[in-house]
Amino acid sequence: MLLPHGTVFAIVDGEKFELYRNTGIEAEPRLEAVPIPELEATNFSAGVYDHDRVSRFTPPAPKNRVARLDEAAHVAAVADWLNSQILAHRIDKLVIVADPRSLGEMRRHFHKEVERVLVAEVPKNLTGRPTAEIVRVLHG
């Protein structure tokens, strides 16, 4: 896959968010880290556990369900931030690399303009990996 100069790479999972920009050429990308914005995970609408509706007879949500709600809220915050950057024309080429669950949740929150700038979606978890490995996976 050719990765145009200036392409922004969002590497996401349920807890982490990394940003890179291709400062190299299409055939030989060089990813440079971009500062990560402060995100506030406030969108918990992806889940079904509503704290306001829980009666005293309802057992508490299992820890894994609460963790999934936290992850979904984080991913929704990333999607909302990407939407804002795309709508403000600060991102004009985007590659999203995320584990399948996070990628699916992000798609639920994307503005229709994301399709216009999306170069590729890669359903893999590559957070915390070296940029050389990310490039190798994208070229593979």
Side-chain angles (χ1 to χ4, degrees):
M1 158 185 346
L2 292 178
L3 305 168
H5 177 80
T7 299
V8 172
F9 295 79
I11 315 295
V12 184
D13 69 16
E15 297 176 359
K16 298 177 193 128
F17 175 37
E18 301 169 6
L19 274 177
Y20 300 95
R21 185 176 300 275
N22 179 14
T23 59
I25 60 174
E26 283 188 35
E28 296 178 28
R30 191 172 86 227
L31 302 185
E32 288 192 11
V34 174
I36 308 286
E38 283 290 322
L39 299 177
E40 190 172 340
T42 59
N43 186 344
F44 291 91
S45 64
V48 296
Y49 187 70
D50 185 349
H51 292 285
D52 295 332
R53 291 185 170 165
V54 176
S55 74
R56 60 189 166 129
F57 302 110
T58 304
K63 286 184 182 180
N64 63 347
R65 180 187 279 170
V66 173
R68 277 196 235 133
L69 285 174
D70 290 342
E71 290 173 3
H74 167 73
V75 170
V78 171
D80 289 344
W81 183 83
L82 289 170
N83 287 338
S84 72
Q85 298 302 295
I86 290 165
L87 292 172
H89 304 287
R90 292 186 190 114
I91 295 176
D92 62 351
K93 294 180 270 312
L94 176 66
V95 172
I96 299 170
V97 182
D99 63 277
R101 183 184 312 195
S102 296
L103 188 57
E105 184 64 31
M106 289 176 78
R107 287 178 184 143
R108 293 181 61 222
H109 297 277
F110 280 148
H111 188 276
K112 65 181 180 178
E113 285 296 305
V114 171
E115 290 179 28
R116 181 181 58 78
V117 303
L118 195 59
V119 174
E121 291 179 332
V122 181
K124 292 186 182 270
N125 187 351
L126 296 177
T127 55
R129 304 286 176 86
T131 57
E133 184 177 343
I134 295 168
V135 169
R136 189 169 48 252
V137 168
L138 293 173
H139 275 170

